[in-house]
Amino acid sequence: MISTTVTTYRPFAATDAPEAFAVFRRSLFDYLHRIGMVDAETAANPPIETAWASQGPWIEHLAATAAENWIAEDDVGRVIGWALSVERDGALELTHFFVEPGTQARGIGRGLLERAFPIGRGKHRVIMATQDPRALALYLRFGVNYITTSMDMVRRPRALEMNSGITFERLTPGDESVRAVGDIEAAILGHRREADVRFLLGNRAGWLARRDGSVIGFAFGANGSNSGPIASLDPSDIPPLLDHVENEAAAAGLEEVYFAVPMMNDVAVRHLLAGGFQIEPFYVKVLADSRSMQLDRWVHTGPAFII
Ligand SMILES: CC(C)(COP(=O)(O)OP(=O)(O)OC[C@H]1O[C@@H](n2cnc3c(N)ncnc32)[C@H](O)[C@@H]1OP(=O)(O)O)[C@@H](O)C(=O)NCCC(=O)NCCS
C-alpha cells in the first residue's frame, strides 16, 4: 500500500527514469482500463520492459533536453508522479504528466503541473492530452484551449504507385537537415524543434519533399508502430507524403503503419479512409494557447509525447 501523507516534489534525476517510466505505464494503462480499452488484468500488469525498449530513447532524449522535469514522491521516497516539459524556440510543451493510480485526485498532479507547466511561461503552450477528465480539468485552467482531436489510423502497408511528380530526398543527420525541417516547422507550427529533429534523424528515416526543385514538405518514416511528423506547406500535398511513408513501410516489410492524424487535417483523414486505414479508438486532444498552428497540414510525431 502506497502511503501519501506527505508528498515531496523534487527535480528528476537520471536514476529516476525506470521508476518514473513505470508510474507512467501503470497510470496510462489504468486510464485505458477506465475507458474500456484494456482489461483489468492488463491494467494491473502493463507492459513496461517492452515499452521501454521502444520509448526509452525518447525518455532519455526528452529528459536530457527538458525545460522542467519533476518527480513527486511519497513519505517513504517512492516515485508517485512525474511531469516533464520541453521548451523549443520559446514554445513550452508538456510531454509527460502521470500520477500513480492509487494516489490520483488528491492534488499531487496540480503540484507537479505548477512546477512543470507554470502559467505564463512560454511564447506558446502546447499539450497532447489524453481525455482523462482529471488531466483536462487541470490543463484547461493552465493557459491552453481545445484545438483539435487527433487519432491513430492504421493498416498493413501497401506498395503504392507514386506518380505525384514529387521527389523525396533522404535527410542525413546534420545541421542542414535540421535547418530544412525547422524552416517548415517554423512556417506551420510557429516554432522550430531543433533538438527533436536531431533526435528524429537518428531514430527513423526522413525525407525532404520537392516539386520542381522547391521544397514542399518533409516526412519522417515508420519506426515500429510510430511514424511522423509529416508536414506539407500546402495541405493538398499531404497525400503523396503519406503514400511515400506507407510505401517505404511496405518495402521494409512492416506489418502495420500508423499515422497520428489531427482530425482538422481533412485531406489526410479523407485520403487515409479512402485507402482503407482503420481508426484506432485512442483519441487525444491537442490543446494550445492559440489557434496559430496550422494542423490542417500536419501529421503528428509518434509516440504522442510531442506534437
Ligand atoms: C492527470 C493526472 C496526472 C492528474 O493528477 P491528479 O493527482 O489526479 O490531479 P489533481 O488531484 O491534482 O487534480 C485533478 C483536478 O481535476 C479536477 N477534476 C477531477 N475530475 C473532474 C471532472 N470530472 N470534472 C472537472 N474537474 C475534475 C479535480 O477537482 C482537481 O482540480 P482542483 O485541483 O482544482 O481541485 C492523473 O489523474 C493521471 O495520472 N491520470 C491518468 C493519466 C493521464 O491521462 N495523464 C495525462 C496525460 S496527457
Side-chain angles (χ1 to χ4, degrees):
M1 182 74 192
I2 289 171
S3 153
T4 57
T5 40
V6 181
T7 302
T8 308
Y9 299 96
R10 59 167 176 81
F12 176 102
T15 47
D16 289 320
E19 262 196 273
F21 189 75
V23 169
F24 151 48
R25 299 298 292 176
R26 284 194 293 271
S27 175
L28 176 66
F29 273 73
D30 176 69
Y31 166 68
L32 293 176
H33 178 52
R34 277 190 275 136
I35 62 171
M37 282 192 71
V38 303
D39 58 29
E41 202 186 316
T42 310
N45 299 290
I48 296 178
E49 281 81 19
T50 48
W52 178 263
S54 67
Q55 298 184 355
W58 273 101
I59 305 300
E60 284 163 359
H61 157 65
L62 295 169
T65 60
E68 296 291 345
N69 196 1
W70 289 87
I71 290 291
E73 65 183 21
D74 68 6
D75 52 3
V76 291
R78 280 175 297 205
V79 174
I80 51 170
W82 176 38
L84 190 161
S85 65
V86 294
E87 193 162 357
R88 308 289 190 233
D89 199 9
L92 189 71
E93 180 161 9
L94 186 73
T95 72
H96 288 82
F97 181 46
F98 294 92
V99 166
E100 185 71 42
T103 66
Q104 290 174 10
R106 298 181 198 167
I108 297 167
R110 175 179 276 278
L112 282 168
L113 206 58
E114 282 165 353
R115 289 164 175 82
F117 201 66
I119 290 173
R121 177 142 167 207
K123 172 178 85 177
H124 284 299
R125 296 165 68 77
V126 187
I127 306 177
M128 298 275 283
T130 64
Q131 303 193 109
D132 185 3
R134 289 167 196 160
L136 290 174
L138 288 171
Y139 294 159
L140 295 170
R141 291 176 289 165
F142 268 73
V144 289
N145 306 307
Y146 174 78
I147 305 296
T148 189
T149 299
S150 297
M151 58 193 180
D152 282 343
M153 300 184 76
V154 58
R155 69 156 293 146
R156 172 180 274 274
R158 302 156 293 172
L160 299 167
E161 202 151 303
M162 299 292 289
N163 50 16
S164 60
I166 292 173
T167 54
F168 290 89
E169 189 181 302
R170 180 73 190 258
L171 290 164
T172 50
D175 291 348
E176 207 181 317
S177 298
V178 172
R179 208 166 26 246
V181 172
D183 286 347
I184 300 168
E185 289 183 330
I188 294 176
L189 299 179
H191 64 277
R192 290 167 189 273
R193 307 182 303 170
E194 292 190 354
D196 304 312
V197 174
R198 269 183 221 289
F199 173 77
L200 282 163
L201 288 167
N203 181 266
R204 58 194 67 176
W207 299 269
L208 209 55
R210 293 183 191 270
R211 181 185 289 112
D212 302 328
S214 301
V215 172
I216 57 133
F218 67 76
F220 282 94
N223 175 350
S225 58
N226 296 303
S227 70
I230 300 170
S232 59
L233 292 167
D234 186 314
S236 66
D237 284 328
I238 274 282
L241 274 65
L242 294 167
D243 288 354
H244 179 72
V245 170
E246 184 179 347
N247 234 343
E248 292 285 327
L254 294 188
E255 293 285 309
E256 289 180 316
V257 61
Y258 283 77
F259 294 115
V261 190
M263 286 173 80
M264 67 189 284
N265 187 338
D266 311 323
V267 177
V269 170
R270 269 192 226 106
H271 180 72
L272 294 173
L273 287 175
F277 275 76
Q278 300 287 301
I279 295 171
E280 291 252 310
F282 178 72
Y283 300 100
V284 297
K285 304 297 184 199
V286 179
L287 310 176
D289 64 318
S290 80
R291 299 204 150 64
S292 56
M293 293 186 294
Q294 301 181 82
L295 299 181
D296 61 342
R297 59 206 68 189
W298 186 261
V299 175
H300 296 296
T301 318
F305 300 149
I306 56 170
I307 196 162

